[in-house]
Amino acid sequence: MSGTLTAAAAGATDLHLTLGQQLTVIVLCALTAFVSHRALAVFNDGVRPFMLDFVHGRTTRNATAAVAFGLSAGFIFGLGAPMALSTGVLNPWLVFLPTDVLGILAPRKWLAPLLGAAWGALVVFGLGGANSLAHQLPVDFLTAMQQMSTPILYLFTLFPVLAVSRQFGKVRGAVAGVVELALVVATMKLWPSVFPGALAMAVGVLLLIGFAIARDLAARRAEAARAKAEGAPAPAPEAPGDEDPMASLFSASAARLRRHIPLFMLLGAGVCLLAQQHVFGGGEATSFLIAKGDYTGAAQVDFYRVFGFVPLVATTALASGAYGIAGFTLVYPIGYLLPAPWLAVVCGAVVFACEVLALSWIGRVLGRLPSVRDSSEQLRGAITETLHLAILFGSLMAANTMGGGLGILVVGGLYLVNEAMGRVVVRMAAAPAAVLVGGVLLNVLYWLHLFTPVKG
């Protein structure tokens, strides 16, 4: 597996898509922009809560598009584009976040898919040219960015440990950490062809979910025992006019989404097909694994991420009436593993249909399992924290590779300036963006005869 975790050769990152892959990206971008225009789904979880006011006409299309752009621009240009250029694998920040903005911004229904298709064409044709050009520069910062793969893959393995520690205390967190470390070492020793973090992440997530379910069950048993001891009467049935307004809102949103199931099935089919073609990765770690051809490892990583996003996507969809472009993201790992495109189309459509139909039920279950719901929030926070550290560390490694001490000074300095200026670029995307800017600057210094590229 060591070959999977080391920097790839420059040629491995070339963005050369077949005609079928190009058409898939363009058509899917057109579809996602159309769905976004209809306010039926957006990819950005931060934008989804704002869609309720837009759906009910309490805010304008331009105002909602401005919110979407403000929440997405840093991820598009600071994370999506650098990751795609350095891995040769497309990602959702580059493909889906722009179509959120373009779809919402489009004033006419017919214009939205045209704008989405135009963005898809720019991605498949323009990005490849930029990739080829960058590899010909004296300071090849794209090849240097492949240094990010090792810290991202290994540090990402620890996100369940952070989540357990934050929710259940340092003792259980330490136990989870020891278990994960032992599993990583054992995997490297016994199964060298397997991604070392796969088994460790699986066990870590299972420990977190097990602790959460045990706490919820214990709380319910304690509540039942207390009620029995106190002889509390059974709760009186609600009067017809006492309907919970939130339940009414959730029901209306779920019904709105169910009315458009055929469109969601088409969306699920497209996303799953793109994943099946192995030119798309659903996350930072996944992109590097897909680039190396480790589709099983990529499927495992994205499958574990699902547990952190199901409650978020479900609750925001039920509250706003807008679903996620990738749903619960379960179509990602399914697509990676399927052997044929037609299977991806069928499975993606079925998965999305089941997800939309199950939204109301999922909402009710989450309402009865507060600790599980909290675990989801802890998982998302832990994923963000581990990836931030990994991306920052990997970016500094890339800076050292392309420019030695001067590279570290430039990239680290740009990152610190961004922090001092109030994070003009979101923290997760700031370091990769600094590598791109630093790489351009080092090339300029080379042309001015003020810098000699690092050899090796």
Side-chain angles (χ1 to χ4, degrees):
M1 186 61 193
S2 59
T4 300
L5 301 175
T6 56
T13 65
D14 290 341
L15 286 164
H16 296 308
L17 305 182
T18 66
L19 178 61
Q21 293 165 347
Q22 293 172 348
L23 290 176
T24 300
V25 173
I26 293 172
V27 172
L28 183 57
C29 285
L31 177 61
T32 54
F34 177 74
V35 171
S36 173
H37 174 85
R38 299 282 303 275
L40 290 171
V42 289
F43 180 79
N44 194 323
D45 296 316
V47 173
R48 200 171 300 118
F50 293 93
M51 300 304 289
L52 180 62
D53 287 338
F54 177 64
V55 169
H56 290 283
R58 293 191 290 266
T59 187
T60 65
R61 184 174 292 278
N62 287 339
T64 307
V67 170
F69 180 79
L71 293 174
S72 303
F75 288 102
I76 296 170
F77 302 109
L79 186 61
M83 289 296 295
L85 287 169
S86 61
T87 63
V89 176
L90 302 177
N91 57 70
W93 306 287
L94 184 65
V95 177
F96 298 144
L97 286 182
T99 58
D100 280 359
V101 179
L102 293 172
I104 297 172
L105 184 63
R108 295 288 183 269
K109 186 186 301 185
W110 59 267
L111 183 59
L114 290 181
L115 292 175
W119 175 257
L122 179 63
V123 168
V124 298
F125 298 116
L127 208 62
N131 181 281
S132 299
L133 177 64
H135 282 310
Q136 297 173 9
L137 294 173
V139 180
D140 186 354
F141 52 87
L142 294 187
T143 299
M145 287 185 71
Q146 294 168 26
Q147 295 291 331
M148 296 168 62
S149 63
T150 299
I152 285 177
L153 289 171
Y154 275 103
L155 288 175
F156 185 74
T157 302
L158 294 175
F159 78 86
V161 178
L162 264 65
V164 171
S165 301
R166 296 277 169 78
Q167 188 172 4
F168 298 104
K170 55 188 177 183
V171 174
R172 292 185 180 181
V175 171
V178 171
V179 169
E180 283 210 8
L181 177 60
L183 289 172
V184 168
V185 173
T187 303
M188 294 176 69
K189 183 68 175 178
L190 301 176
W191 307 288
S193 62
V194 177
F195 169 48
L199 182 58
M201 279 189 287
V203 173
V205 171
L206 289 175
L207 283 173
L208 177 67
I209 295 174
F211 291 150
I213 293 176
R215 175 179 287 182
D216 283 334
L217 293 178
R220 293 178 67 179
R221 285 195 297 268
E223 183 179 354
R226 184 167 55 252
K228 183 178 180 180
E230 295 174 354
E238 293 182 351
D242 293 340
E243 184 179 4
D244 182 0
M246 288 304 296
S248 177
L249 173 63
F250 280 17
S251 177
S253 296
R256 177 178 187 263
L257 296 175
R258 285 197 297 269
R259 287 196 299 270
H260 295 90
I261 275 189
L263 188 57
F264 283 116
M265 293 178 69
L266 186 61
L267 180 61
V271 176
C272 195
L273 175 61
L274 183 62
Q276 191 276 334
Q277 293 177 338
H278 300 149
V279 295
F280 175 89
E284 299 87 346
T286 313
S287 294
F288 285 106
L289 290 170
I290 291 291
K292 293 298 186 179
D294 187 2
Y295 309 130
T296 302
Q300 289 175 309
V301 169
D302 271 355
F303 178 73
Y304 304 141
R305 289 170 65 107
V306 170
F307 294 100
F309 288 91
V310 167
L312 174 66
V313 174
T315 52
T316 54
L318 290 171
S320 67
Y323 197 45
I325 288 294
F328 296 145
T329 70
L330 191 58
V331 289
Y332 293 164
I334 291 175
Y336 302 149
L337 297 178
L338 290 176
W342 68 268
L343 277 176
V345 170
V346 173
C347 290
V350 171
V351 168
F352 257 51
C354 293
E355 289 180 2
V356 173
L357 291 174
L359 273 176
S360 295
W361 176 81
I362 292 173
R364 290 193 298 270
V365 170
L366 291 174
R368 293 195 295 266
L369 297 173
S371 293
V372 174
R373 190 171 61 248
D374 292 344
S375 294
S376 171
E377 296 178 4
Q378 296 293 346
L379 277 175
R380 291 197 309 276
I383 287 172
T384 300
E385 192 169 346
T386 53
L387 284 175
H388 169 246
L389 176 62
I391 290 173
L392 176 59
F393 185 64
S395 296
L396 292 175
M397 290 174 61
N400 182 64
T401 297
M402 68 184 184
L406 180 60
I408 292 176
L409 172 65
V410 171
V411 172
L414 288 172
Y415 179 86
L416 292 175
V417 167
N418 182 69
E419 289 285 306
M421 294 176 63
R423 296 175 188 164
V424 178
V425 179
V426 291
R427 175 177 276 184
M428 184 77 76
V435 174
L436 289 185
V437 175
V440 172
L441 179 58
L442 290 176
N443 277 290
V444 171
L445 292 176
Y446 169 81
W447 289 321
L448 295 174
H449 305 288
L450 298 175
F451 170 72
T452 301
V454 175
K455 301 296 183 182

